[in-house]
Amino acid sequence: MPLRLLPPPRRAAAALLTPTVPHLARLLLSHAPSTPPLLLALLPSCPALLTPLLSHLLLSHSPPLPALALYRRLLTLPHFPVPETSLPVLLRLLARSRRYAHLSFPLLESLPPTHPHLLSTPALAVLLSTALSASAPGASFDSAVTCFDSAARVWASAGRAFGADELNALLRAFCARGRVAEARALFHRYCDKYPPDTRTFNTLLLGFKEAGHSQALDLFYHDAVLRGFVPDAVSYCVRMDAYCKKGRFADALELLDEMRTRENCKPTLHVFTTLIYGAGIVRDAARARLLFDEMEKWGVTPDRGAHNALMGAYVRARDLKSALAVMDKMERKGIGLDDVSYNTMLCGFQRVGDLEGIWKVYSKMVGSGFMPRTRTTMLLMKVFCENARPDLGLELWDYLMGKGCVPHRHALDILVTGLCCRGAVSEAYRCFREIIDMGMVPTERAFTILEGFLRRAREYGKIEEIRLIMKVAQLEGHQIKEETV
C-alpha cells in the first residue's frame, strides 16, 4: 500500500498568550545575539520553564551562546530562583561545541554567592566530561584532575560538601570512556581523602562492564567482596548486563537465581529490564515474556523501560505483530511512548522493508505531538528520501520547525538532496534558508548540492543570496561569541 501524505501541520500562533517552551525557544533564537526583553519578562513568572527551555535547545541542536547570555542575565535578577537542574543542561549545551567548551568552568567560577545550590554533582560531572573531551589525549588526565581539584576549592568557598558523590562523578567520567585503569588509579589516589561508598565500587564495576572486560570485572568484584564490599542489586545488575552483552545469558540467569536466595537483595525493576534486554540479544522472545510476567510476582511494576526492552526482544525476533501489541498496551496503560519506543519499532519495520509499518508508527508519533530525537529524525528522513518520498521528509521538517526544533544539519543534507532530485528545488531552498534563520550554518554538502541545482535552473540570484547569508550567519556567530565572552 503506498504511503499517504499527512495534512500540513498547523503553525502556532505568533502571539505568546501563554509561555510555552517552543515559543520561548523561537523567541530566544530569533533575537540573537541580544536577549529579548519579552523573554526576561516571561521567565520570572514561570521559572520552572528554564530547564525545559535549555533541554529543548540542547535536543534541537541550537547554538549555545544565546542560552548562555540568557542564563547570565537571569543570574543577575535578585528574585529569580534559578533551578539547580538548569546549570548541568547549560553546561552540556556549551560542551557539545568544542568552540565554546572553554566557557564552562569560568561560568561556574562566576556564579554569584547567592546561588550556591547550583554547585551540584551533575554540574561537576558535565565539567569533568568536558575536560576529558576538550583536551588532547595525553593531557586529558591532568586536565580532569585539575578540574576536579579546582572544583573542590570552589565548593569549599561556597560552603558546599565535597566527598564520595563527587569522587564517583570523577570515576564515572573516566569509566564512561573505557579508561578504567586510570579510574582505578584515581580511586586509590583519593579514597583516603574522600571515603568511598557502595556506589563507588559499583561505578568501577560498571566501568569494567562498559569496557567489555568481563574477566577483569569478575576479578575486581571478587577482590572487592574479600575486602568487605557487600554487593547490592546494582552490583548484580551490572554483572548481568556484562554477561548479556557477551551473549552469556545463561550465566546472567544464574545470578538471578542467586539473588532470589538472598535476604536483602531482591530483584529490582532494573534487574528484570536488563535480563529482558539480554533475552532479546539471544533472540529468545519467549524467555523475555516470561521474565516480564515474573516481575509482578516480585511486586515490581513494569515501567516504560521494561516495556521497551520487551518490545526490542520481539523486534529482534522479527515478531513485529507482538511488538506492536506491546506498544498499544503501553498507550492503553497511559505509560506513554518515548524516542526509544518509536525508534525500536521504526528500526524493526525498516529491517524487513515494511514501509506501511513505518508510516503507521510515524503517523502515531506525529499525531501525539511527540518530538523525536536526532537518530529517529535521521532514520525517518533517510527512509522517506531513499524511497522517493521527499514530500514526507518535507512534512517532517515542517513538523519539527513548527515545534521550535531545529533539525540536525545532516537531516538537511538528506532532505535537500531528495527534494532537488525530485525537482522541488524551491522547497529545498526554503529549508536551507530556515535553518540559517534559526542560527545554524548548513554544511558545505547541502550548499554544494543546492547550488548545483540552482545553477541548472539558472537561479543565479538565489545562488548569490545563499552565499551571502551563509557568510552573514558565520559573522553573526563570531559576534555573539565576542559579546558573550
Side-chain angles (χ1 to χ4, degrees):
M1 186 180 295
L3 297 180
R4 297 182 296 276
L5 196 64
L6 277 180
R10 296 181 179 178
R11 293 289 186 182
L16 287 172
L17 300 179
T18 56
T20 63
V21 169
H23 289 156
L24 295 176
R26 285 196 296 270
L27 184 63
L28 176 65
L29 295 174
S30 61
H31 286 76
S34 61
T35 301
L38 179 58
L39 192 59
L40 291 174
L42 288 171
L43 276 176
S45 63
C46 45
L49 286 180
L50 178 58
T51 301
L53 172 61
L54 294 173
S55 299
H56 183 94
L57 296 172
L58 177 66
L59 293 176
S60 61
H61 292 270
S62 301
L65 292 183
L68 178 59
L70 169 66
Y71 202 83
R72 284 178 168 169
R73 291 289 300 275
L74 293 174
L75 287 173
T76 62
L77 298 181
H79 301 295
F80 182 79
V82 182
E84 178 183 326
T85 55
S86 62
L87 183 59
V89 182
L90 177 62
L91 293 175
R92 287 178 61 196
L93 190 59
L94 291 169
R96 190 174 58 194
S97 171
R98 291 182 180 272
R99 184 178 177 184
Y100 306 118
H102 68 282
L103 301 176
S104 298
F105 202 85
L107 171 64
L108 191 78
E109 292 179 308
S110 65
L111 289 176
T114 54
H115 295 74
H117 66 285
L118 296 178
L119 300 176
S120 63
T121 305
L124 175 64
V126 179
L127 287 173
L128 293 169
S129 178
T130 303
L132 286 173
S133 301
S135 306
S140 59
F141 180 87
D142 293 334
S143 297
V145 171
T146 301
C147 178
F148 183 76
D149 292 336
S150 300
R153 289 192 291 270
V154 173
W155 260 246
S157 64
R160 300 282 289 179
F162 200 88
D165 289 341
E166 287 70 29
L167 173 61
N168 296 340
L170 176 64
L171 300 181
R172 275 198 304 273
F174 279 89
C175 289
R177 287 161 176 77
R179 299 166 65 172
V180 192
E182 291 170 296
R184 186 163 46 187
L186 289 170
F187 167 75
H188 291 297
R189 178 173 180 171
Y190 288 109
C191 64
D192 292 333
K193 188 174 183 180
Y194 308 113
D197 55 13
T198 302
R199 183 172 294 181
T200 309
F201 291 99
N202 285 338
T203 298
L204 290 171
L205 285 175
L206 185 63
F208 285 114
K209 187 264 293 185
E210 293 296 334
H213 303 325
S214 56
Q215 260 190 332
L217 182 148
D218 284 335
L219 290 173
F220 177 79
Y221 172 82
H222 292 298
D223 181 64
V225 169
L226 290 175
R227 293 173 181 270
F229 167 62
V230 179
D232 59 4
V234 175
S235 313
Y236 277 99
C237 192
V238 170
R239 296 177 66 200
M240 288 175 182
D241 195 27
Y243 294 156
C244 288
K245 289 181 177 177
K246 291 292 185 180
R248 297 166 55 185
F249 183 61
D251 294 336
L253 288 178
E254 288 182 7
L255 291 180
L256 178 62
D257 294 334
E258 183 179 327
M259 288 190 73
R260 289 177 176 134
T261 62
R262 292 175 62 95
E263 285 291 332
N264 300 317
C265 192
K266 301 302 181 184
T268 63
L269 173 63
H270 198 182
V271 166
F272 280 110
T273 302
T274 299
L275 289 173
I276 294 170
Y277 172 77
I281 291 178
V282 296
R283 291 179 171 80
D284 191 348
R287 186 69 190 196
R289 184 76 221 192
L290 289 174
L291 288 165
F292 185 86
D293 294 337
E294 187 183 351
M295 295 173 71
E296 295 184 1
K297 299 177 183 178
W298 289 88
V300 177
T301 302
D303 66 348
R304 182 185 299 148
H307 283 83
N308 285 339
L310 179 61
M311 189 191 307
Y314 282 126
V315 167
R316 284 176 178 268
R318 302 208 170 189
D319 186 358
L320 298 179
K321 182 178 179 181
S322 297
L324 275 176
V326 174
M327 177 179 275
D328 293 338
K329 183 179 180 181
M330 292 171 70
E331 291 185 299
R332 288 195 305 271
K333 286 185 172 182
I335 295 175
L337 306 175
D338 61 2
D339 191 75
V340 175
S341 313
Y342 288 115
N343 191 267
T344 298
M345 290 307 309
L346 290 170
C347 287
F349 284 117
Q350 183 190 34
R351 192 174 295 121
V352 298
D354 187 347
L355 296 181
E356 184 64 23
I358 291 176
W359 164 255
K360 288 180 180 178
V361 177
Y362 169 66
S363 300
K364 185 189 295 286
M365 181 187 74
V366 174
S368 65
F370 182 79
M371 188 176 76
R373 296 176 69 92
T374 299
R375 61 174 184 174
T376 303
T377 300
M378 293 294 295
L379 185 152
L380 286 168
M381 200 67 78
K382 286 180 180 179
V383 168
F384 292 153
C385 292
E386 289 176 359
N387 288 277
R389 292 304 306 269
D391 53 325
L392 292 175
L394 182 61
E395 285 187 3
L396 175 60
W397 178 275
D398 290 336
Y399 171 77
L400 294 173
M401 294 295 289
K403 288 281 187 181
C405 172
V406 184
H408 197 278
R409 297 193 306 166
H410 293 315
L412 177 68
D413 295 347
I414 298 170
L415 182 58
V416 165
T417 304
L419 289 172
C420 288
C421 291
R422 301 293 290 182
V425 182
S426 61
E427 296 296 338
Y429 175 78
R430 172 175 69 84
C431 297
F432 194 90
R433 286 292 307 267
E434 284 180 345
I435 200 171
I436 291 179
D437 292 340
M438 295 300 286
M440 301 286 287
V441 180
T443 64
E444 285 296 326
R445 178 185 176 188
F447 172 76
T448 302
I449 293 172
L450 182 59
E451 181 187 32
F453 279 91
L454 287 174
R455 195 176 299 280
R456 291 183 189 178
R458 305 193 179 205
E459 297 277 1
Y460 300 113
K462 289 184 177 180
I463 293 175
E464 292 301 320
E465 186 177 355
I466 60 176
R467 284 178 177 172
L468 177 62
I469 59 181
M470 284 191 71
K471 290 181 180 178
V472 171
Q474 292 170 347
L475 288 175
E476 286 181 350
H478 181 67
Q479 291 172 356
I480 293 173
K481 179 182 178 182
E482 288 182 346
E483 292 182 10
T484 307
V485 175

